[in-house]
Amino acid sequence: MAEEKTLFKFPKAKRVYEQLGEDRLSNGIIACPGCAEELGLRYVLRTLGQDATLFGIPGCSILMYMGNSQGSYSNVPWFMGAMTNIAAMASGYSRYLQKTKQKGTPIVIAGDGSASDVGFQSLSGAAERGEKIIFICLDNEGYMNTGMQRSSSTPYKSWTSTTPVGEFARGKNKEAKYLPLLMAFHNIAYTATANVGFLQDYVQKLNKAKEAIQHGMAYIHLLCPCDTGWRYPSDKTIDISQKAVDTNYFPLWEAEYGHFRMTYEPKKVLPVKEYISMQGKYRHLKDEDLEEIQEQTDKRYNRIKALAESGEKQAQAKE
Amino acid sequence: MDMVQNTEKVEVVSGNKSAAYGAYVCSPDVIGIYPITPQTSVVEDLTQFIADGRLDAEIVEAEGEISAMASVIGASAGGARTFSSTSSMGLFFMFDSYIMAPLYRLPIVMVNSNRELLPPNTVACSHQDIMEVIETGWIHIHVENCQEILDAIIMAYRIAEDPEILLPVDVCYDGFYLSYLREPVNIPSIEAVNNFLPTQDRPTLGGPNNVFSCIYCGADQEMAELRYRQQDAMEKSKEKLEQVEQEFAQHFGRSYGGQLEEYRMEDAEIALFCMGSHAGTARVVVDQKREQGIKVGLVKLRMFRPFPQERVLTALKNVKALGVIDRSVAFGWKGGHLYRELRSALYGHGLEIPMADYIAGLGGHDITIPLIERVVDETKGIAEGKQYQEITWLALE
């Protein structure tokens, strides 16, 4: 990989803990054991919590982090919007901070259902306008809070409660909408995929996102394995997260204004079966299904890889 | 009283431009906006004010009404003074956000250019759009002319931002009849508006240094308390409008009667009851009928939500019959919205006046002098004890 030549600088620490601040979420919150979202958000707040204002939507995250009727579980300001409009709500807030020259980091925490389905218009509009917000999509590949329904981010052949397995159907018959690429193609300041199995990479991307919103919008797509919905033992969240990357199913990359870079590449690429077979939501799959998924995975990875390589070539040509 | 008191200039402008000027003189921090006929030129005028350096505001040129309203919700929650505008289908696409503003108790001010719904395809005027959202917790003020649009916006901010109220206000004016009608409008200076409308100490829900969490609310009594307080604030806004109008009159020399205007009602035996731009036509008819010796008056409703029941009861206490002109249809209930509201406000409260409802002006059908004359004549008949039809669709007769 070429030496990093990035627009947005950030302090590079050897260990992830050297960059982290106070844990702003209380203990004993009502997340399922093994929840990747909880870990993901703790790191958002430990990295950016200092002057953050969070914008959430109805879903697991709101219930876990906003608290219940007894009190709040976090010590950062939170606003709740609707799934349909949260990007715009954070945008308006961000505009007011700019108008009055106040410091602050507006961060949207939304699921894939909001980001890729019902709130996509609002997200796309904010991206086009270059709103100075960080949008973090917690992608658990479905509507998990309402009980594992299909979203457009649900992968091919995956079981959900609305893409059931029966005599005439075997899970979702469409490929997932690959949202991070769509966001990068809005030419926003910063786009990245991240994963709780690679915390160092994730924290660095969060720091970059904070830097990037001095210029425009930052979007981070965080894969959030959901032990309840994906049907796997709760101690396997990190394993699955890492397998997703090691099989090239979920490549880790970033893009600054459409300039792509791979941020991690597995030394030895595993077959996608090793990732798929860990999850109960794929237990109905046949060998030919796995072949198809392998094909789709390779295609997606090669597309990203090609984008990253063309970016490198352009950078070299400039020099 | 000097009618051009504190006026910087008089300009012949459309209703939309008057709305844009209304926002401009109130110096909003953030504007969230999206074009739709017949409100589009509000968006054009505001973006031009900013392009010309006249207005120092952040403008979110949203990709749809839902985001236009959401952006001002976010900004207002952070402490900004905000403005938005829409119409008809835009209002419904905005609904997901629109409903959140009063529940968050945010002092947002917007305008709605009243318009028909689709289908069938039309962009013409009626009150059908705004009547579909009357119970959302927004304060709705309806106006009659272009000057009133501007003045109502200034007053709307005073009401919305009052610590006792903290509710969003929608200033509603009839599409085409006002949105594209050009009239001379007194435009006050920003200094004069600043004196009337202080900019400091606006409440905020939260900010970078102000930890606020909107806590998940269970089925305990918190929810009932929140709703009760909101309802209470709506009730208080009625009296607040009266106070703000009095102060406005002292500053700018104009007033509109507060929650409603009584026109030649002192000795009226029968009355017309309407709201919006055709109140101007109704005024002419009242004058003509008065010349013929008919003791008719007009009640022009300005505040539709909250509904000014007390003022209505006072205004109509000596009336023998009432003709109501409705520019909308309450589907599933036989008449229009004004008629329904009036029956609830009067009947059972000691004022069982016989009244007839006239549904008129749908799809931009002109509510003309002859049509209103007919309403007056029939209402006179009701007062004399004649048989009458409860609901009349004027365009179908």
Side-chain angles (χ1 to χ4, degrees):
Chain A
M1 226 184 305
E3 187 56 31
E4 275 186 41
K5 283 198 177 55
T6 58
L7 186 56
F8 308 121
K9 301 288 178 210
F10 56 94
K12 196 160 186 178
K14 280 183 185 156
R15 294 175 65 81
V16 68
Y17 293 100
E18 291 170 25
Q19 301 172 355
L20 295 176
E22 167 198 356
D23 189 355
R24 289 166 185 272
L25 275 186
S26 72
N27 297 328
I29 64 176
I30 54 173
C32 305
C35 177
E37 277 190 18
E38 181 193 340
L39 188 60
L41 198 87
R42 276 187 199 278
Y43 276 81
V44 171
L45 295 183
R46 292 188 72 176
T47 313
L48 310 173
Q50 186 70 33
D51 57 0
T53 303
L54 275 78
F55 290 82
I57 54 162
C60 291
S61 58
I62 233 68
L63 298 174
M64 284 190 284
Y65 311 124
M66 255 187 164
N68 59 14
S69 34
Q70 272 84 50
S72 174
Y73 290 153
S74 63
N75 64 353
V76 287
W78 269 98
F79 289 111
M80 196 191 75
M83 289 175 72
T84 46
N85 65 14
I86 191 66
M89 200 167 150
S91 307
Y93 178 82
S94 166
R95 293 290 193 98
Y96 182 58
L97 294 187
Q98 290 164 50
K99 167 97 193 320
T100 49
K101 298 186 172 53
Q102 293 182 70
K103 278 198 170 152
T105 313
I107 305 173
V108 178
I109 305 288
D112 54 289
S114 168
S116 67
D117 286 340
V118 72
F120 180 65
Q121 170 184 327
S122 193
L123 171 59
S124 175
E128 185 270 331
R129 293 190 302 272
E131 300 287 359
K132 294 175 178 173
I133 58 171
I134 301 176
F135 193 107
I136 299 176
C137 172
L138 309 172
D139 183 7
N140 48 23
E141 302 186 338
Y143 294 90
M144 295 316 182
N145 188 248
T146 44
M148 299 149 248
Q149 289 82 28
R150 169 206 204 274
S151 80
S152 58
S153 193
T154 300
Y156 187 60
K157 290 292 171 191
S158 166
W159 168 90
T160 68
S161 66
T162 55
T163 52
V165 177
E167 197 182 338
F168 299 103
R170 283 188 298 125
K172 189 184 173 190
N173 59 3
K174 294 284 183 294
E175 273 190 69
K177 184 191 282 181
Y178 191 46
L179 189 58
L181 199 56
L182 288 176
M183 294 316 296
F185 272 50
H186 281 75
N187 222 14
I188 55 177
Y190 188 69
T191 314
T193 59
N195 182 319
V196 292
F198 295 80
L199 284 175
Q200 173 89 12
D201 180 77
Y202 176 39
V203 168
Q204 282 173 351
K205 283 170 174 171
L206 288 170
N207 278 320
K208 272 195 177 182
K210 184 168 181 181
E211 191 58 35
I213 61 164
Q214 305 303 315
H215 308 268
M217 184 168 158
Y219 174 85
I220 293 182
H221 196 90
L222 184 74
L223 183 72
C224 289
C226 167
D227 50 333
T228 310
W230 294 14
R231 308 269 155 108
Y232 65 83
S234 57
D235 60 346
K236 294 289 182 217
T237 297
I238 301 297
D239 285 355
I240 286 189
S241 298
Q242 290 176 344
K243 279 268 163 47
V245 174
D246 288 340
T247 55
N248 280 344
Y249 175 83
F250 187 82
L252 293 175
W253 54 269
E254 63 184 5
E256 296 160 68
Y257 288 115
H259 181 98
F260 287 73
R261 274 183 65 244
M262 305 303 293
T263 59
Y264 174 86
E265 292 200 73
K267 291 199 172 61
K268 182 176 179 290
V269 179
L270 304 173
V272 78
K273 187 180 178 184
E274 292 201 19
Y275 167 70
I276 298 288
S277 61
M278 293 179 82
Q279 305 165 39
K281 69 175 177 178
Y282 291 117
R283 75 164 72 97
H284 57 281
L285 256 58
K286 295 178 178 164
D287 284 347
E288 63 258 35
D289 298 330
L290 276 167
E291 276 167 31
E292 269 188 287
I293 293 172
Q294 183 68 56
E295 217 170 275
Q296 292 166 3
T297 303
D298 294 344
K299 203 171 149 189
R300 180 166 58 232
Y301 174 77
N302 289 336
R303 189 181 292 151
I304 302 296
K305 182 75 181 158
L307 285 166
E309 279 169 357
S310 84
E312 275 171 31
K313 272 181 201 158
Q314 277 174 23
Q316 281 165 7
K318 267 187 189 170
E319 282 167 20
Chain B
M1 205 179 281
D2 179 8
M3 284 303 284
V4 290
Q5 194 178 325
N6 270 319
T7 292
E8 192 172 73
K9 61 173 176 178
V10 179
E11 201 176 310
V12 177
V13 294
S14 68
N16 281 346
K17 188 145 193 180
S18 181
Y21 266 125
Y24 162 72
V25 295
C26 295
S27 312
D29 299 300
V30 179
I31 297 167
I33 215 152
Y34 184 82
I36 181 171
T37 302
Q39 153 273 20
T40 301
S41 64
V42 180
V43 184
E44 294 171 340
D45 292 333
L46 285 170
T47 46
Q48 192 67 50
F49 285 154
I50 291 171
D52 293 343
R54 295 171 71 185
L55 175 59
D56 177 22
E58 287 287 329
I59 189 154
V60 180
E61 303 103 333
E63 79 298 327
E65 288 85 354
I66 190 165
S67 291
M69 177 49 60
S71 67
V72 298
I73 287 175
S76 182
R81 180 175 285 166
T82 57
F83 184 76
S84 186
S85 80
T86 194
S87 178
S88 185
M89 304 312 274
L91 181 61
F92 305 127
F93 187 49
M94 181 187 277
F95 192 76
D96 218 11
S97 304
Y98 189 81
I99 192 87
M100 291 172 71
L103 301 178
Y104 258 140
R105 303 290 299 272
L106 297 173
I108 295 165
V109 171
M110 68 175 287
V111 292
N112 188 73
S113 190
N114 303 331
R115 191 193 117 174
E116 270 293 354
L117 317 184
L118 309 180
N121 192 6
T122 173
V123 291
C125 173
S126 85
H127 292 167
Q128 198 69 42
D129 59 350
I130 197 69
M131 286 303 156
E132 305 294 350
V133 298
I134 50 179
E135 265 127 31
T136 47
W138 280 70
I139 293 169
H140 285 178
I141 295 173
H142 287 254
V143 301
E144 181 187 335
N145 56 47
C146 293
Q147 180 72 58
E148 199 181 344
I149 297 173
L150 183 141
D151 292 347
I153 291 170
I154 301 171
M155 287 186 256
Y157 277 110
R158 268 292 294 274
I159 298 165
E161 291 174 4
D162 191 292
E164 282 194 323
I165 308 297
L166 290 178
L167 286 171
V169 182
D170 204 338
V171 174
C172 315
Y173 56 90
D174 290 351
F176 293 93
Y177 290 102
L178 293 183
S179 70
Y180 291 120
L181 171 76
R182 281 173 164 73
E183 287 184 322
V185 171
N186 296 292
I187 297 154
S189 66
I190 289 180
E191 294 70 42
V193 174
N194 281 348
N195 286 337
F196 174 74
L197 182 67
T199 50
Q200 75 280 11
D201 297 336
R202 234 185 341 274
T204 64
L205 282 185
N209 307 310
N210 178 5
V211 175
F212 166 85
S213 287
C214 172
I215 292 170
Y216 175 77
C217 198
D220 304 333
Q221 70 190 48
E222 290 109 348
M223 185 60 93
E225 188 180 341
L226 282 171
R227 296 293 186 260
Y228 176 83
R229 285 178 184 224
Q230 193 179 330
Q231 182 80 306
D232 190 46
M234 285 218 93
E235 276 301 306
K236 284 181 179 146
S237 70
K238 297 196 252 182
E239 191 49 43
K240 196 64 73 180
L241 175 60
E242 305 288 344
Q243 292 166 13
V244 168
E245 271 241 3
Q246 279 176 16
E247 271 188 63
F248 186 88
Q250 286 162 12
H251 277 77
F252 301 100
R254 292 182 294 276
S255 73
Y256 300 93
Q259 302 163 61
L260 54 81
E261 184 199 336
E262 298 177 38
Y263 182 70
R264 303 190 80 163
M265 284 297 291
E266 308 79 33
D267 58 344
E269 288 171 359
I270 60 170
L272 288 172
F273 196 97
C274 70
M275 177 171 84
S277 57
H278 50 277
T281 319
R283 231 179 266 274
V284 174
V285 175
V286 166
D287 290 345
Q288 287 173 358
K289 291 288 175 185
R290 281 274 178 176
E291 275 171 31
Q292 295 165 20
I294 300 173
K295 287 191 172 174
V296 59
L298 164 72
V299 176
K300 174 188 118 180
L301 192 68
R302 296 189 69 237
M303 193 179 223
F304 189 85
R305 275 292 177 271
F307 195 82
Q309 186 183 16
E310 298 79 9
R311 284 285 310 271
V312 168
L313 283 167
T314 313
L316 298 176
K317 63 178 187 297
N318 297 323
V319 166
K320 294 198 185 82
L322 190 58
V324 184
I325 302 173
D326 257 309
R327 202 162 204 160
S328 61
V329 184
F331 292 114
W333 204 87
K334 51 192 171 181
H337 292 89
L338 273 182
Y339 181 63
R340 186 184 71 185
E341 296 291 318
L342 269 174
R343 283 182 70 103
S344 301
L346 302 182
Y347 289 29
H349 297 92
L351 216 58
E352 276 83 19
I353 311 169
M355 56 171 127
D357 187 22
Y358 295 86
I359 293 174
L362 304 183
H365 188 250
D366 289 336
I367 304 180
T368 57
I369 288 175
L371 286 180
I372 300 178
E373 279 177 339
R374 179 184 156 179
V375 175
V376 174
D377 294 343
E378 290 188 9
T379 308
K380 184 165 170 283
I382 298 170
E384 288 159 358
K386 287 187 186 146
Q387 286 288 315
Y388 67 99
Q389 190 175 322
E390 191 185 358
I391 314 287
T392 307
W393 293 61
L394 279 181
L396 300 182
E397 296 284 309

